[in-house]
Amino acid sequence: MSTFPELPPAPSGEAFPLLPGEAAGIEERLRRSEERYRSLVAATAQIVWVANAQGLVEEDSPSWRAYTGQSFEEILGLGWLEAVHPDDRPGTLHVWSQALASGGFYEIEYRIRRYDGVYRTFWVRGVPVREADGSIREWVGTCTDITDRKRLEDELVQTAYEATLRANQLEATFEAMTDAVFIFDCDGQILGVNAAARRFLNRVAPLSGKEMTVDDYLAQLDLRDATGQPLPREQWPSQRLLRGEVLADAPLSDLLLRLPSGCERRISVSGSPVRDDSGSVIGAVAIGRDVTERYLLERRTHEALEALLALAEALVEIPRDLADPPPQQAGSSSVKADGSCLQQRHEITHRLARLICQVLNCHQVAILHLAPESELLQLLAYAGDEGAGERWLHWLSGSCSTEPQLSLCFSPEAVAALRADRLLGQSGAEGSVVPIEVGECYAAVIAPMLIDQQLIGLIRIQQAEHEQHEYSAEEMAIIRAVARLAALVTEHERLLHERAEARANELALRESNRRMDEFLSIASHELRTPLTTIKGNVQLARRHLLRLPLTAEQREKLAIVQELLERTDRQTGLLTRLVRDLLESSRAQVDRLVMQRRPENLLSIVRQTVSDLQSTATQRRIRLLVAGQELRQENEPAPIMVLADAESIGLVVTNYLTNAIKYSPRESPIDVSIEREECQARVSVRDQGPGLPPAEQRRIWERFYRVPGIQAQGSASPGLGLGLHICKTIVERHQGSVGVSSQPGAGSTFWFTLPLLTDAGEGAG
Ligand code: ADP
């Protein structure tokens, strides 16, 4: 095998006998030709290869080896395929075998692995070299590196593709723009417009057959500036642009124009001149944006905000004297104060209604209050059309044929919508009321007044007298905001009113308490003296009777008198106790209860009181428990020291115990317990009496309160309902507290606590 492939043989044909001189000449030509061929192969950057007629490599290809790094042995046969990219091998073999079979040209593109492992793409061509008889002797071919060319081609294709795409995108954007775009030359001739501009031009001159310039169109539009002044021709946007001016999208470049249809629009114009290489203006691009709706919305929002501000100011301006009525006025003449408060409330809600009318620029506003429990609707105020509020409320009442109650006036769906802060729409004065969606038309809307998700009222807003109005999302949001603000104003003002009322009541109560105390104190003093005299006289009479020297018969006859005197004595005792209670209660109330608090053993006070009462109520079983253990005579537990007025605390225990005896069955035991808690002592008196429902448990501490239906046992005297009130006053003045735990039918446990005396000698509480 020669190092370089041999030249292809001469074209097939007949053999010519050669003359001796001729043969030497031919040999010389052949040698030169081979040399030229070698130089050519060496000079070319391509890979040159030779394969036999069967397509197998037998001869060396230094250029292939140099490029791939394969050895001569490795390229033999089909070994060269190993340097071809694995993915390209099947295709290569297929095309190669087809060429071998057909004897035609072999052309294919595949990737060859360079000696350093990098694959590059080659364009491979092979031609058959034929014998004189036409049979294939061998194949000669070249591999040309086309990697860079291919990349360049790919890039070119990609760039062309992107450029087209971009142009299409720009075209689509241009057409899809909602702003109208006009491109015109320096004579004002229109060179291009987008769809929005086409629509605009059609509205200006629909049937114009002739070519019109930009200025021809503008001349028909009665152009004015943003303030409404006519716009001189030199100020037309086309003129300014062609003079080289750049127009920015600002309110200053807004134009007002009137279309031939009479419709007025506000257009914001921006644009820029187009210049040639030398900088001369050769045309311009102008963009027009219809800002009519935006401008109107901005103006309305501005007005609404101004009025909202006024609404908020109204909230701040609520008269102070409504919040704080002067004490003498509230105390001495609460009716008058109440009347003027109501008057002020009335004025404020009416002012609110008027402001809302102004904020929403509407025909009529009615504010309805929703009573918390009955859910009855009541007209608070209205503005605009006089009487429309009443008419509407009347319609509401009519629709539920009774009093206007929320759930009867509206459908459940409408009520749910209101509670979810949604608006309702009403198509006519008497049309049905349904939740409203953005963009729907209604004659009136009803907005909920919500505070903390609580519905406290409704506002009905009617935009125009007979027209339906289309509600945009912004308008609906403003209505909801106004309703919320109105809810705040009315609630704030209602609370102020309530506070003023409460203060007036409190002052009146204090005053009547003072008078009652005065009366009680006088009355009990007045009664005490005659009662003492009566009691003394009765006792004197009884003693006299006993001492009289009477016969048994006379004594028997006088027994009835003795009996009467005894009963009078008991009754007088009872009356004396009642009078004492009266006096104590008035004293406690006016803070004149004299108490001398000193360190005392609470255990001793309670023990003494229990023992006193046990001696008078001998049939009752009264147990004394200390820390849960029954206390016997011989036991002497550790003292429980408190700072107390022993007599007053004794009175508290007596009252609790007397009640327990009085209100529980004779055969049932009564437990008195004393317990030491963390920093206080607790005394409880437990009985098995009728017990008390929770509402009564709160009221029994009030003065003169007696639970209806609870009867004293046997001959026990009914009280005045003062005992527990006195107990509470005494204990609270000892920094302690009182209470009862009870259930109807299961007895009661009345208790009080006192702060324990600490080592420092102070009450722990
Ligand atoms: P009264 O002198 O009427 O007993 P109190 O102020 O001591 O006045 O008690 C107020 C009311 O509380 C009583 O009229 C009675 O209805 C109820 N009450 C007091 N103690 C008891 C009790 N242990 N069991 C049931 N009801 C009681």
Side-chain angles (χ1 to χ4, degrees):
M1 180 180 110
S2 59
T3 315
F4 287 100
E6 285 169 22
L7 274 178
S12 63
E14 289 161 41
F16 296 98
L18 293 174
L19 300 172
E22 274 182 336
I26 289 170
E27 217 162 282
E28 177 56 24
R29 281 212 312 274
L30 270 175
R31 192 186 56 76
R32 281 200 198 143
S33 171
E34 184 166 340
E35 263 171 20
R36 271 204 298 276
Y37 172 70
R38 280 164 191 256
S39 320
L40 193 67
V41 169
T44 181
Q46 294 176 338
I47 297 169
V48 181
W49 52 267
V50 178
N52 67 13
Q54 289 72 43
L56 302 173
V57 171
E58 289 173 340
E59 289 187 26
D60 192 10
S61 168
S63 52
W64 178 275
R65 282 195 295 106
Y67 186 79
T68 61
Q70 283 184 304
S71 65
F72 171 59
E73 286 73 24
E74 281 169 342
I75 66 170
L76 286 176
L78 290 174
W80 53 273
L81 259 179
E82 209 276 322
V84 174
H85 193 286
D87 292 349
D88 299 344
R89 279 177 209 163
T92 304
L93 263 182
H94 177 70
V95 176
W96 186 219
S97 46
Q98 270 188 339
L100 290 173
S102 68
F105 278 109
Y106 165 59
E107 275 184 325
I108 188 166
E109 184 185 305
Y110 57 69
R111 286 163 288 174
I112 303 176
R113 188 184 61 229
R114 208 162 58 188
Y115 56 87
D116 57 0
V118 173
Y119 280 99
R120 290 179 68 85
T121 308
F122 282 77
W123 177 243
V124 183
R125 276 176 67 97
V127 287
V129 180
R130 295 180 187 276
E131 294 286 6
D133 61 0
S135 62
I136 294 173
R137 176 154 44 105
E138 60 188 8
W139 290 79
V140 182
T142 56
C143 305
T144 315
D145 188 339
I146 55 164
T147 313
D148 295 334
R149 196 191 76 203
K150 235 176 108 65
R151 189 181 310 127
L152 210 63
E153 274 171 13
D154 286 351
E155 276 171 13
L156 278 174
V157 168
Q158 184 63 23
T159 313
Y161 171 76
E162 279 170 9
T164 317
L165 197 70
R166 194 143 176 72
N168 288 346
Q169 279 171 350
L170 280 175
E171 179 70 19
T173 315
F174 182 66
E175 281 298 310
M177 274 169 76
T178 47
D179 293 348
V181 184
F182 306 84
I183 305 166
F184 48 91
D185 66 14
C186 53
D187 299 321
Q189 291 297 336
I190 296 172
L191 304 177
V193 286
N194 68 350
R198 264 193 303 281
R199 278 195 299 276
F200 178 77
L201 294 180
N202 265 337
R203 290 177 76 184
V204 180
L207 299 171
S208 156
K210 65 166 185 135
E211 292 263 310
M212 286 173 68
T213 64
V214 178
D215 287 357
D216 292 338
Y217 281 104
L218 292 180
Q220 302 184 43
L221 292 172
D222 182 22
L223 291 185
R224 277 159 294 137
D225 67 12
T227 63
Q229 295 302 312
L231 203 66
R233 193 183 179 93
E234 63 274 13
Q235 286 304 315
W236 288 4
S238 52
Q239 299 287 324
R240 289 169 64 188
L241 287 167
L242 291 177
R243 279 201 303 272
E245 220 179 298
V246 174
L247 305 184
D249 184 9
L252 277 181
S253 57
D254 280 6
L255 289 180
L256 299 176
L257 53 83
R258 190 182 303 117
L259 290 168
S261 62
C263 171
E264 300 231 346
R265 308 303 295 173
R266 189 181 182 96
I267 308 287
S268 175
V269 183
S270 57
S272 176
V274 179
R275 296 173 190 274
D276 64 9
D277 290 346
S278 65
S280 314
V281 176
I282 54 163
V285 177
I287 301 172
R289 171 174 295 182
D290 190 334
V291 291
T292 319
E293 312 298 340
R294 195 189 73 193
Y295 175 74
L296 288 178
L297 190 70
E298 269 174 14
R299 205 173 63 189
R300 285 212 54 200
T301 311
H302 183 73
E303 283 168 5
L305 284 177
E306 293 265 294
L308 270 179
L309 216 62
L311 213 62
E313 272 166 15
L315 189 104
V316 179
E317 269 175 22
I318 288 175
R320 283 294 103 204
D321 50 350
L322 179 66
D324 300 302
Q328 69 281 15
Q329 190 190 10
S332 54
S333 153
S334 62
V335 177
K336 186 168 160 251
D338 195 42
S340 71
C341 279
L342 276 179
Q343 182 60 29
Q344 279 169 340
R345 281 193 73 186
H346 193 68
E347 276 167 20
I348 289 163
T349 36
H350 269 85
R351 196 160 86 210
L352 187 67
R354 284 197 298 276
L355 277 167
I356 294 172
C357 223
Q358 193 182 328
V359 173
L360 302 173
N361 184 26
C362 55
H363 176 65
Q364 184 252 320
V365 164
I367 304 179
L368 302 187
H369 173 250
L370 180 72
E373 269 156 31
S374 63
E375 298 227 310
L376 282 177
L377 289 164
Q378 177 201 352
L379 184 65
L380 265 190
Y382 58 82
D385 176 13
E386 293 259 329
E390 262 110 357
R391 279 203 301 282
W392 192 61
L393 195 67
H394 191 255
W395 174 78
L396 277 181
S397 321
S399 71
C400 53
S401 69
T402 54
E403 284 190 292
Q405 200 181 21
L406 185 72
S407 57
L408 297 175
C409 295
F410 298 101
S411 68
E413 188 202 7
V415 173
L418 285 172
R419 293 197 197 281
D421 197 15
R422 287 186 60 197
L423 305 183
L424 304 179
Q426 194 178 21
S427 31
E430 306 201 345
S432 57
V433 174
V434 289
I436 172 171
E437 301 294 339
V438 174
E440 286 182 347
C441 290
Y442 287 99
V445 285
I446 296 146
M449 285 163 66
L450 289 164
I451 287 199
D452 207 13
Q453 296 175 352
Q454 198 74 33
L455 192 63
I456 65 148
L458 304 176
I459 299 186
R460 184 181 188 270
I461 294 148
Q462 192 164 332
Q463 215 70 29
E465 190 163 6
H466 299 299
E467 281 171 33
Q468 303 268 324
H469 179 79
E470 184 185 319
Y471 288 90
S472 66
E474 291 80 12
E475 250 173 322
M476 285 167 67
I478 286 183
I479 291 176
R480 275 207 302 272
V482 164
R484 278 196 174 235
L485 208 52
L488 284 174
V489 175
T490 45
E491 184 65 1
H492 175 239
E493 174 252 338
R494 188 187 66 79
L495 289 176
L496 284 181
H497 175 71
E498 244 180 43
R499 195 176 73 177
E501 238 175 7
R503 284 199 185 168
N505 288 344
E506 189 193 306
L507 288 171
L509 189 72
R510 237 187 268 164
E511 174 65 10
S512 81
N513 273 344
R514 191 186 62 75
R515 288 187 192 176
M516 162 103 80
D517 285 341
E518 232 170 55
F519 161 75
L520 287 176
S521 162
I522 294 166
S524 50
H525 273 295
E526 293 292 321
L527 288 172
R528 230 165 37 158
T529 325
L531 267 179
T532 319
T533 319
I534 296 170
K535 195 170 173 67
N537 289 346
V538 169
Q539 282 171 356
L540 210 61
R542 282 178 68 195
R543 274 205 295 277
H544 275 304
L545 262 183
L546 283 176
R547 282 200 219 116
L548 280 179
L550 299 172
T551 63
E553 195 185 347
Q554 284 171 325
R555 199 165 288 286
E556 204 175 317
K557 282 186 181 159
L558 280 175
I560 184 87
V561 180
Q562 188 65 275
E563 168 78 34
L564 282 173
L565 280 174
E566 245 174 63
R567 207 180 293 167
T568 314
D569 192 18
R570 271 206 309 278
Q571 297 291 337
T572 325
L574 175 62
L575 270 177
T576 313
R577 218 198 99 205
L578 292 182
V579 170
R580 191 201 66 203
D581 275 3
L582 267 178
L583 187 64
E584 293 291 357
S585 90
S586 71
R587 273 189 185 162
Q589 192 62 36
V590 295
D591 214 20
R592 277 181 294 173
L593 202 60
V594 184
M595 274 185 271
Q596 272 151 14
R597 293 166 69 198
R598 54 174 73 92
E600 297 280 358
N601 182 0
L602 182 61
L603 198 62
S604 310
I605 301 175
V606 176
R607 199 176 201 174
Q608 184 59 49
T609 316
V610 170
S611 137
D612 289 351
L613 276 167
Q614 182 70 84
S615 63
T616 54
T618 46
Q619 304 93 335
R620 298 304 299 256
R621 173 148 191 244
I622 306 174
R623 292 186 300 183
L624 178 60
L625 301 129
V626 178
Q629 297 291 316
E630 190 169 351
L631 190 67
R632 309 233 167 257
Q633 200 64 41
E634 59 281 8
N635 293 359
E636 191 50 62
I640 298 176
M641 299 304 290
V642 289
L643 202 59
D645 177 68
E647 204 185 321
S648 304
I649 295 301
L651 189 69
V652 175
V653 182
T654 308
N655 263 332
Y656 278 11
L657 212 41
T658 317
N659 280 349
I661 294 169
K662 206 159 61 169
Y663 296 115
S664 66
R666 184 183 289 246
E667 60 287 355
S668 64
I670 295 166
D671 287 345
V672 180
S673 1
I674 314 180
E675 268 149 310
R676 187 195 284 273
E677 292 175 351
E678 205 175 334
C679 49
Q680 62 183 11
R682 177 184 292 266
V683 178
S684 329
V685 176
R686 184 162 159 259
D687 65 48
Q688 291 172 16
L692 296 160
E696 302 292 2
Q697 290 173 26
R698 281 191 295 279
R699 297 208 61 191
I700 48 174
W701 308 95
E702 290 170 17
R703 271 210 299 185
F704 300 115
Y705 186 77
R706 309 194 64 240
V707 181
I710 290 193
Q711 302 293 336
Q713 295 285 323
S715 61
S717 66
L720 287 174
L722 282 171
L724 290 178
H725 174 74
I726 295 171
C727 292
K728 184 170 185 281
T729 313
I730 292 173
V731 171
E732 282 174 355
R733 290 194 56 194
H734 279 77
Q735 276 81 50
S737 54
V738 294
V740 60
S741 58
S742 177
Q743 266 184 1
S748 314
T749 303
F750 281 84
W751 55 263
F752 69 87
T753 59
L754 291 179
L756 283 171
L757 196 65
T758 60
D759 291 342
E762 293 289 326

